[in-house]
Amino acid sequence: MTRPAEAPASGLAGLQADGSAWHTLSADRVLQAENVDGRRGLSAAEVTSRAQRFGPNKFAAAQVESRWHAFLRQYADPMQIVLLVAGVVSLYPLKELETGIVLVFLTLFNAVLGLQQEGKAAAAVAALQKMMIVKARVTRDGELVQIPAEELVPGDVVSIEAGDIVPADGRLLRAATLEVAESALTGESLPVSKGTDPVDGADTPLGDRTDMVYMNTNVTRGAGEFVVTATGMATEVGHISGLLQAEQAGKTPLTRQLDKLTHQILWIAGVALVVSMALNLARGDTFTTVFTAAVAFAIGALPENLPAVVTTILAYGTQALAKAGAIMKRMQSTETLGSTSAINSDKTGTLTLNQMTAVQMAVVGRRYAIEGRGYATEGQITRVAGQAEIPLDQFLLPMVLASDAVLSDGELIGDPTEGALVALAAKGGVDAASTRQAYPRLAELPFDAAYKLMATFHKMTDESGAEVVRCYVKGAPDQLLARAATVFDADAGAVPADGEFRELYLAENQRLGEQGLRVLATARKDFDPAAFDPGADLLPLVSGLEMLALVGIVDPPRPTAKASIATARAAGIRVRMITGDHAVTAAAIGGQLGIDGKVITGAEFGSMSDDEALAEIDDIGVIARVTPEHKVRLVNLLKRRGQIVAMTGDGVNDAPALKKADIGIAMGITGTEVTKEAAVMILTDDNFSTIVKAVELGRGLYDNLVKYIRFQMGCLFGFIVSFLGASIFNITGGVPFLPLQTLWINFTTLLFQAIGLGYGQPAAGLMDRKPRQPDQPILTRGLFAWLVTAGLIVGAGTLGVLSWAEQVHTEAIAHTMGVVTFSLYALFFSIATKDERKTVFSLDTFSDKTFNIATGVSIATLFLATVFGPFEAFLKTTHLDVRQWLICTAVALSIIVASEIRKAIGRRTAHQSVPADSS
């Protein structure tokens, strides 16, 4: 007895145990291999046995990380570890309860924020499970029964018809005008005609395996029967589920740069901290004193509020994107949008409407252009100027009578190609419903892939008024031409379909095809009602036809897609179109959209070595007939080239590549659930132009983040200089600010000013710049040198005030004046660093309402720290008089002077370089 084929070890569907491909075998051989009777199906005992062997017809769930594990993982961050250790030691043995509690709470706060970065693999697989069909019609023990799709096993004989979702992968046993829409799996925009003849070639692409059907594809026409060859994870869509689980989400450019910057700060602060502790110990200070100073130093030198501020700014960016129609599921990826340098876009439903549209019609001696898009009936049929106007009804009648599609308010019920023909007829004034009622169908020859045409027969009157049975035919142009005897000429009537006509006909067919159009032909033939037998074999009657028209049909580009691609190109972003369609169609659409580069097929792309593909990738603009593996490989290759890659898509076949890309973008309206879960961004309007808007917002977000980081780093260097200088010169016992005072500065003035910078208006002209390189540092050498200089100025000024106040007043006043001076330094530095070129003495400096509010709050909290009793007790600060405030303010203004000198030099240098550049 031959056992049913099990899924191979690789998990790739479509093969049986001996390595043969199911689609290459005859139906009888498949039934034999599955050990099943095609008429009776499996027995109940065999179903039970196979269910135990293969398991349920569903996808395996990915292992989900526990919330506790995810929470603890947040403490792998070096800053978290330092703060936690400082907090615990402050609690015991130092018994500094306030400081310890605040530090421990701070680590908890950062950990909770970090939990937002959760993996999406389990959610994507859960979405795949939702796509499973609820019921399936299966033959078991000779009876047709309806069962839950989860109970299907390999070897089951399943019946399908128009409107069904295929419940498992299988080899067709019977197909009657069967067509299946496989765009969600293969990217093919048109339904595929299915048959039972084996397909040669084990490596034949999925879209060309016409004797196979696949789970979660849609039956659009006809009926059929198939034997199940794979279920659950062994199916093609199950294989995609496995790819999703295998993909690991990488760090974004921002995360990588912040990690690098954090490590640099840790090294600088660590060395300075060790030196400070060594100096304090050498002076004979107690361990408690030294550790207290070290805790305050660590709080000031480490950017402990960096995660909080970055998260806040990213959350703001996420909200702005949502208002623009782009929902971000991972906040860190919001910034990544701004550095996107490559967009790999699915064609069907993303760059195009996913609605077949008739755009050209040709009849003898005349050509027509058809306005409108999709299944809307608005639009005109326009002719070439100078041509005589003729009635078009005789050419449009086959569009509705030889079709079954129904249009309602722009929505289609039925076959997409027929929908395009019905919409064309409506634009010419022919109403489908009333026309079909006036000329009822007497007989029908259904479409079949063997003869590639459909014919219907209707009782009508001819041009002379005599009653006839008229046959209307639509189908492949070559097939109808082979059966033609005459052609209808609107000026001369029926004329012979002779050699000259055939040459013109074939040339017109080629012209339309070279534009990437799917070409359909229509024809007619009249019969004597008395001799016509509707029950006879109709195919032999479809000969001696009178040719009518050729119609060019296409899935048209979205109206805004071309302009958006042009905008992306101006911003230095390369757009590539990835599709399951044939190369000719893909090339035509790519040309209309303005996509640069040559067109290749997925097979050609797959045959290239990695080195060959990397060498040619810049010249490739369109890849046709792709598989999910091709899409993932393309993303990997572009990432190896240092590109930041965005991948758009709407079908199941797009999900692994969306997961692998830096930015996976799913369509919110037409996208499948699995694609939405695998993506990090969902377009609520399915509009490609929203991606460009999102990129602009992402660039603005990064611009604001850089402002914040400049400000934060300058203040951190100020802290390091202040603490190290205090230890070297023994100012206020080597502790310029107490631990809680340091925290207060960090979480009032520094935090509010940082938010003001992060929420402010970004620079103008961001979309005229090229994408920044992923490895471009946040801080260049020149900027880093300036921030160190600013830190020296802040630290020196603060130490000068501390030293003077310690000698003239009490230590409490000295600490208070130190807090005020440093806070004012930070306040003025935020104003100075808001724009790297413009002077602060400009009306634009205070034109940002958000920044002004943040500055006002900073001033208020600083004032409260010196006058409000409970805050003074908590922070160990005291009241300052007007003279002391003026001294702090005057010293802090020195950062404005230094910044203005730097900006003036920068403006002069830039002005002098313009003539040289222009020449």
PDB file of all heavy atoms in Angstrom, residues 317-334:
ATOM      1  N   GLY A 317       5.613  61.474  17.211  1.00  0.00           N
ATOM      2  CA  GLY A 317       5.719  61.212  15.782  1.00  0.00           C
ATOM      3  C   GLY A 317       4.728  60.176  15.313  1.00  0.00           C
ATOM      4  O   GLY A 317       4.157  60.281  14.222  1.00  0.00           O
ATOM      5  N   THR A 318       4.496  59.166  16.133  1.00  0.00           N
ATOM      6  CA  THR A 318       3.529  58.124  15.798  1.00  0.00           C
ATOM      7  C   THR A 318       2.121  58.695  15.668  1.00  0.00           C
ATOM      8  O   THR A 318       1.370  58.341  14.756  1.00  0.00           O
ATOM      9  CB  THR A 318       3.547  57.018  16.878  1.00  0.00           C
ATOM     10  OG1 THR A 318       4.863  56.469  16.960  1.00  0.00           O
ATOM     11  CG2 THR A 318       2.571  55.916  16.539  1.00  0.00           C
ATOM     12  N   GLN A 319       1.769  59.610  16.570  1.00  0.00           N
ATOM     13  CA  GLN A 319       0.454  60.246  16.498  1.00  0.00           C
ATOM     14  C   GLN A 319       0.323  61.093  15.237  1.00  0.00           C
ATOM     15  O   GLN A 319      -0.723  61.096  14.576  1.00  0.00           O
ATOM     16  CB  GLN A 319       0.230  61.101  17.744  1.00  0.00           C
ATOM     17  CG  GLN A 319       0.133  60.295  19.041  1.00  0.00           C
ATOM     18  CD  GLN A 319       0.134  61.174  20.269  1.00  0.00           C
ATOM     19  OE1 GLN A 319       0.108  62.404  20.166  1.00  0.00           O
ATOM     20  NE2 GLN A 319       0.191  60.563  21.440  1.00  0.00           N
ATOM     21  N   ALA A 320       1.384  61.818  14.884  1.00  0.00           N
ATOM     22  CA  ALA A 320       1.348  62.639  13.673  1.00  0.00           C
ATOM     23  C   ALA A 320       1.181  61.770  12.431  1.00  0.00           C
ATOM     24  O   ALA A 320       0.445  62.114  11.507  1.00  0.00           O
ATOM     25  CB  ALA A 320       2.630  63.475  13.578  1.00  0.00           C
ATOM     26  N   LEU A 321       1.854  60.625  12.405  1.00  0.00           N
ATOM     27  CA  LEU A 321       1.731  59.710  11.278  1.00  0.00           C
ATOM     28  C   LEU A 321       0.322  59.144  11.183  1.00  0.00           C
ATOM     29  O   LEU A 321      -0.228  58.977  10.090  1.00  0.00           O
ATOM     30  CB  LEU A 321       2.749  58.573  11.411  1.00  0.00           C
ATOM     31  CG  LEU A 321       4.193  58.940  11.068  1.00  0.00           C
ATOM     32  CD1 LEU A 321       5.136  57.845  11.545  1.00  0.00           C
ATOM     33  CD2 LEU A 321       4.360  59.146   9.574  1.00  0.00           C
ATOM     34  N   ALA A 322      -0.270  58.827  12.331  1.00  0.00           N
ATOM     35  CA  ALA A 322      -1.628  58.281  12.326  1.00  0.00           C
ATOM     36  C   ALA A 322      -2.616  59.282  11.729  1.00  0.00           C
ATOM     37  O   ALA A 322      -3.518  58.907  10.975  1.00  0.00           O
ATOM     38  CB  ALA A 322      -2.045  57.903  13.749  1.00  0.00           C
ATOM     39  N   LYS A 323      -2.416  60.561  12.042  1.00  0.00           N
ATOM     40  CA  LYS A 323      -3.286  61.588  11.468  1.00  0.00           C
ATOM     41  C   LYS A 323      -3.113  61.680   9.956  1.00  0.00           C
ATOM     42  O   LYS A 323      -4.039  62.037   9.237  1.00  0.00           O
ATOM     43  CB  LYS A 323      -2.997  62.937  12.114  1.00  0.00           C
ATOM     44  CG  LYS A 323      -3.392  63.010  13.588  1.00  0.00           C
ATOM     45  CD  LYS A 323      -3.034  64.369  14.177  1.00  0.00           C
ATOM     46  CE  LYS A 323      -3.397  64.434  15.660  1.00  0.00           C
ATOM     47  NZ  LYS A 323      -3.005  65.742  16.263  1.00  0.00           N
ATOM     48  N   ALA A 324      -1.903  61.343   9.475  1.00  0.00           N
ATOM     49  CA  ALA A 324      -1.630  61.403   8.031  1.00  0.00           C
ATOM     50  C   ALA A 324      -2.062  60.136   7.308  1.00  0.00           C
ATOM     51  O   ALA A 324      -1.959  60.063   6.085  1.00  0.00           O
ATOM     52  CB  ALA A 324      -0.146  61.653   7.805  1.00  0.00           C
ATOM     53  N   GLY A 325      -2.542  59.122   8.057  1.00  0.00           N
ATOM     54  CA  GLY A 325      -3.010  57.888   7.432  1.00  0.00           C
ATOM     55  C   GLY A 325      -2.058  56.724   7.539  1.00  0.00           C
ATOM     56  O   GLY A 325      -2.237  55.703   6.866  1.00  0.00           O
ATOM     57  N   ALA A 326      -1.020  56.838   8.366  1.00  0.00           N
ATOM     58  CA  ALA A 326      -0.049  55.754   8.543  1.00  0.00           C
ATOM     59  C   ALA A 326       0.033  55.397  10.022  1.00  0.00           C
ATOM     60  O   ALA A 326       0.470  56.213  10.841  1.00  0.00           O
ATOM     61  CB  ALA A 326       1.319  56.175   8.023  1.00  0.00           C
ATOM     62  N   ILE A 327      -0.400  54.188  10.357  1.00  0.00           N
ATOM     63  CA  ILE A 327      -0.377  53.733  11.744  1.00  0.00           C
ATOM     64  C   ILE A 327       0.922  52.972  11.993  1.00  0.00           C
ATOM     65  O   ILE A 327       1.185  51.953  11.364  1.00  0.00           O
ATOM     66  CB  ILE A 327      -1.583  52.831  12.051  1.00  0.00           C
ATOM     67  CG1 ILE A 327      -2.882  53.619  11.852  1.00  0.00           C
ATOM     68  CG2 ILE A 327      -1.497  52.275  13.454  1.00  0.00           C
ATOM     69  CD1 ILE A 327      -4.128  52.780  12.009  1.00  0.00           C
ATOM     70  N   MET A 328       1.741  53.471  12.928  1.00  0.00           N
ATOM     71  CA  MET A 328       2.998  52.810  13.277  1.00  0.00           C
ATOM     72  C   MET A 328       2.756  51.880  14.453  1.00  0.00           C
ATOM     73  O   MET A 328       2.207  52.284  15.470  1.00  0.00           O
ATOM     74  CB  MET A 328       4.064  53.844  13.645  1.00  0.00           C
ATOM     75  CG  MET A 328       4.460  54.766  12.509  1.00  0.00           C
ATOM     76  SD  MET A 328       5.139  53.917  11.066  1.00  0.00           S
ATOM     77  CE  MET A 328       6.580  53.127  11.784  1.00  0.00           C
ATOM     78  N   LYS A 329       3.178  50.628  14.302  1.00  0.00           N
ATOM     79  CA  LYS A 329       3.001  49.652  15.371  1.00  0.00           C
ATOM     80  C   LYS A 329       4.218  49.555  16.276  1.00  0.00           C
ATOM     81  O   LYS A 329       4.140  48.993  17.361  1.00  0.00           O
ATOM     82  CB  LYS A 329       2.716  48.279  14.768  1.00  0.00           C
ATOM     83  CG  LYS A 329       1.410  48.221  13.995  1.00  0.00           C
ATOM     84  CD  LYS A 329       1.310  46.979  13.165  1.00  0.00           C
ATOM     85  CE  LYS A 329       1.514  45.737  13.993  1.00  0.00           C
ATOM     86  NZ  LYS A 329       1.486  44.516  13.164  1.00  0.00           N
ATOM     87  N   ARG A 330       5.358  50.068  15.819  1.00  0.00           N
ATOM     88  CA  ARG A 330       6.579  50.043  16.623  1.00  0.00           C
ATOM     89  C   ARG A 330       7.163  51.440  16.594  1.00  0.00           C
ATOM     90  O   ARG A 330       7.574  51.931  15.546  1.00  0.00           O
ATOM     91  CB  ARG A 330       7.562  49.016  16.055  1.00  0.00           C
ATOM     92  CG  ARG A 330       8.675  48.651  17.018  1.00  0.00           C
ATOM     93  CD  ARG A 330       9.453  47.447  16.523  1.00  0.00           C
ATOM     94  NE  ARG A 330      10.155  47.736  15.283  1.00  0.00           N
ATOM     95  CZ  ARG A 330      10.624  46.813  14.478  1.00  0.00           C
ATOM     96  NH1 ARG A 330      10.408  45.543  14.751  1.00  0.00           N
ATOM     97  NH2 ARG A 330      11.273  47.133  13.383  1.00  0.00           N
ATOM     98  N   MET A 331       7.205  52.078  17.770  1.00  0.00           N
ATOM     99  CA  MET A 331       7.569  53.489  17.804  1.00  0.00           C
ATOM    100  C   MET A 331       8.967  53.749  17.270  1.00  0.00           C
ATOM    101  O   MET A 331       9.206  54.742  16.586  1.00  0.00           O
ATOM    102  CB  MET A 331       7.444  54.010  19.234  1.00  0.00           C
ATOM    103  CG  MET A 331       6.004  54.271  19.667  1.00  0.00           C
ATOM    104  SD  MET A 331       5.921  55.211  21.184  1.00  0.00           S
ATOM    105  CE  MET A 331       6.725  54.100  22.323  1.00  0.00           C
ATOM    106  N   GLN A 332       9.943  52.876  17.573  1.00  0.00           N
ATOM    107  CA  GLN A 332      11.305  53.128  17.127  1.00  0.00           C
ATOM    108  C   GLN A 332      11.391  53.199  15.609  1.00  0.00           C
ATOM    109  O   GLN A 332      12.260  53.868  15.054  1.00  0.00           O
ATOM    110  CB  GLN A 332      12.239  52.021  17.643  1.00  0.00           C
ATOM    111  CG  GLN A 332      12.413  51.993  19.159  1.00  0.00           C
ATOM    112  CD  GLN A 332      13.325  53.102  19.654  1.00  0.00           C
ATOM    113  OE1 GLN A 332      13.634  54.028  18.906  1.00  0.00           O
ATOM    114  NE2 GLN A 332      13.743  53.040  20.901  1.00  0.00           N
ATOM    115  N   SER A 333      10.495  52.484  14.910  1.00  0.00           N
ATOM    116  CA  SER A 333      10.540  52.477  13.447  1.00  0.00           C
ATOM    117  C   SER A 333      10.040  53.791  12.856  1.00  0.00           C
ATOM    118  O   SER A 333      10.215  54.032  11.668  1.00  0.00           O
ATOM    119  CB  SER A 333       9.697  51.315  12.905  1.00  0.00           C
ATOM    120  OG  SER A 333      10.244  50.080  13.307  1.00  0.00           O
ATOM    121  N   THR A 334       9.429  54.647  13.675  1.00  0.00           N
ATOM    122  CA  THR A 334       8.961  55.937  13.181  1.00  0.00           C
ATOM    123  C   THR A 334      10.129  56.749  12.648  1.00  0.00           C
ATOM    124  O   THR A 334      10.060  57.352  11.575  1.00  0.00           O
ATOM    125  CB  THR A 334       8.254  56.706  14.315  1.00  0.00           C
ATOM    126  OG1 THR A 334       7.178  55.919  14.816  1.00  0.00           O
ATOM    127  CG2 THR A 334       7.714  58.025  13.809  1.00  0.00           C
TER     128      THR A 334
END
